[in-house]
Amino acid sequence: MSAVADRPPFLPWNRPAIGPEEEQEVLDTLRSGWLTAGPKAVRFEQAARDDLGVEDAFAVSSCTAALHLALLAAGIGPGDEVITPSFTFCAVPNTVLQVGAAPVFADIEPTGLNLDPVKAAEAITGRTRAIMVMHYGGRPCDLAAFRKLADDHGLLLIEDAAHALHAWRDGVRAGSVGDLAVFAFYANKVITTGEGGMLVGRDDLVQRARLLGRHGIDSSVWQRHGTRSTAAYEVTVPGLKYTMPDITAAVGLQQWYKLPAFTEARARIAAVYDRELAGLPGLHLPAVEAGVEHGRFLYPVLIDPAPARSRDSVAEALREVHGIGTSVHFQPVHRLAAYRHVQCHLPVTEHAAARQLSLPCYPAMTADDVQRVLGALHTVWF
Ligand SMILES: *Cc1c(COP(=O)(O)O)cnc(C)c1O
């Protein structure tokens, strides 16, 4: 059909799946006359709260905003330590430093690449206030172990569920166990609103975060004054502006409804990769243990360095020769300039970080796209 010169278009590592439902909801918002945080944000929060069975939810401008608010609401600050993996996105330790606390990096487990509960326990000191777990690629970490660890030591458990909006472990949903949990809706996430995030969890903490994320304007004081006049508001704490506008929430609401379908689509692609990539020498595929309903945000493979190929040479060949995008999750944070002062010994993180590559795995991919990735990988290997 196509001429030899017709190279297929670049297949990106990820691409949003937006349909007429999102378009309609945004139009409805634009025409309603209410553009900033309002009824659509409330509906989005309700959908998340009901699905997760959490006490409260607050839709915010990004997952980073949710992380920042989580730490502020918990009163974490100077002198405090927060245990986190280094094998995560920089937003986590960045916000820890922003509130004046110190990130403490603990190592991950080799199979799931999630924070290792044993290593986290070893990292607890008299200054530790919270454990910030992350569900790598959509595969929930050992939530039961971390809940117990946090309770035994009187620590806060915060789930970075940026990758795990629709994932379970032993029947328990990611994002529903921590005192607080955060979700991400950036353009290349599980679902997207362009930019956006959500903070969910304990009533008292989310209420505090809501106050802090709305300038510190105490609307209950405002209501007590018995007037809706804007001159009557009270600021009880110096806050920030982190709310999610309704134009954004309109997209998020419709994307949220599509979570089950998106997970199914990703799981189908992952099953094809599992089958067709098994046995390639030096290529390790993501294993899923019993009891895990994987959110399948990432399809992360590990590529052993060898004279014939390395992670970087495979990524380059896919991009330059085959026009296929991949991504690396993550550059370990302790290797980034702002964090090189942090003392840590993380052999499992180092091992994974040198090998990890994320293959395209998202609902907007066609069956042909998947075959294209497989064909390219087989060409690269043999
Ligand atoms: C993307 C991401 C974040 C930050 O999300 P933003 O919405 O871009 O602020 C935090 N944690 C993890 C694990 C992420 O992947």
Side-chain angles (χ1 to χ4, degrees):
M1 190 180 80
S2 62
V4 177
D6 279 352
R7 223 177 120 163
F10 188 79
L11 179 69
W13 165 70
N14 202 342
R15 178 157 26 96
I18 300 287
E21 299 82 5
E22 288 82 357
E23 292 173 7
Q24 206 46 56
E25 196 75 54
V26 170
L27 258 183
D28 180 67
T29 305
L30 293 174
R31 288 169 179 165
S32 76
W34 192 278
L35 306 185
T36 188
K40 293 282 163 86
V42 168
R43 277 176 59 198
F44 190 16
E45 289 165 352
Q46 271 167 359
R49 206 182 57 203
D50 294 348
D51 273 13
L52 290 157
V54 288
E55 290 178 4
D56 203 358
F58 180 33
V60 292
S61 50
S62 71
C63 180
T64 303
L67 286 163
H68 194 195
L69 287 176
L71 296 165
L72 291 173
I76 293 171
D80 296 335
E81 292 176 354
V82 176
I83 296 170
T84 157
S86 167
F87 203 55
T88 186
F89 188 56
C90 62
V92 174
N94 281 354
T95 50
V96 172
L97 283 182
Q98 281 293 337
V99 301
V104 173
F105 298 125
D107 215 351
I108 52 174
E109 38 181 19
T111 331
L113 309 182
N114 280 317
L115 191 62
D116 184 332
V118 175
K119 299 290 176 195
E122 288 169 7
I124 294 172
T125 73
R127 291 169 176 265
T128 308
R129 289 286 316 280
I131 305 173
M132 179 93 77
V133 298
M134 202 265 279
H135 307 298
Y136 182 82
R139 170 197 186 130
C141 69
D142 192 345
L143 281 166
F146 282 111
R147 185 68 268 175
K148 182 169 186 326
L149 187 62
D151 290 344
D152 286 352
H153 292 84
L155 307 174
L156 219 61
L157 179 63
I158 304 174
E159 292 179 67
D160 179 354
H163 295 185
L165 278 62
H166 196 250
W168 285 258
R169 183 160 173 155
D170 301 323
V172 176
R173 188 164 180 172
S176 71
V177 176
D179 299 279
L180 288 167
V182 299
F183 296 116
F185 313 125
Y186 182 64
N188 63 10
K189 302 290 178 164
V190 178
I191 62 172
T192 186
T193 60
E195 297 279 1
M198 186 91 75
L199 177 67
V200 304
R202 258 169 54 190
D203 223 354
D204 56 328
L205 293 171
V206 178
Q207 281 301 329
R208 177 83 182 154
R210 192 175 268 116
L211 175 68
L212 288 163
R214 290 180 177 163
H215 305 289
I217 292 178
D218 191 331
S219 54
S220 62
V221 171
W222 175 43
Q223 275 149 15
R224 248 182 280 135
H225 289 180
T227 170
R228 296 195 69 79
S229 151
T230 47
Y233 68 74
E234 182 59 286
V235 173
T236 52
V237 56
L240 298 148
K241 180 67 184 299
Y242 276 157
T243 47
M244 175 185 281
D246 266 17
I247 303 173
T248 302
V251 181
L253 190 57
Q254 291 301 327
Q255 288 269 293
W256 186 272
Y257 296 149
K258 295 179 180 180
L259 266 176
F262 281 2
T263 305
E264 227 173 88
R266 288 189 166 98
R268 271 200 300 274
I269 297 167
V272 177
Y273 284 161
D274 283 349
R275 194 176 65 234
E276 301 294 331
L277 295 174
L280 289 191
L283 181 73
H284 305 274
L285 305 180
V288 180
E289 60 272 75
V292 167
E293 285 175 69
H294 201 305
R296 290 297 188 188
F297 172 54
L298 300 180
Y299 192 88
V301 300
L302 299 182
I303 299 168
D304 288 336
R309 72 188 79 78
S310 66
R311 181 269 309 279
D312 292 338
S313 79
V314 170
E316 191 187 328
L318 288 174
R319 185 179 64 244
E320 300 302 328
V321 182
H322 300 276
I324 293 169
T326 56
S327 192
V328 168
H329 296 91
F330 293 89
Q331 282 199 72
V333 174
H334 73 280
R335 293 266 167 197
L336 302 174
Y339 292 93
R340 284 188 202 128
H341 66 282
V342 179
Q343 296 277 333
C344 52
H345 175 62
L346 308 169
V348 185
T349 297
E350 302 279 2
H351 183 271
R355 290 163 174 74
Q356 194 278 339
L357 191 69
S358 296
L359 303 182
C361 183
Y362 49 95
M365 281 177 90
T366 65
D368 283 350
D369 291 337
V370 178
Q371 288 306 316
R372 208 176 129 195
V373 175
L374 290 172
L377 278 169
H378 282 101
T379 306
V380 168
W381 242 262
F382 299 112

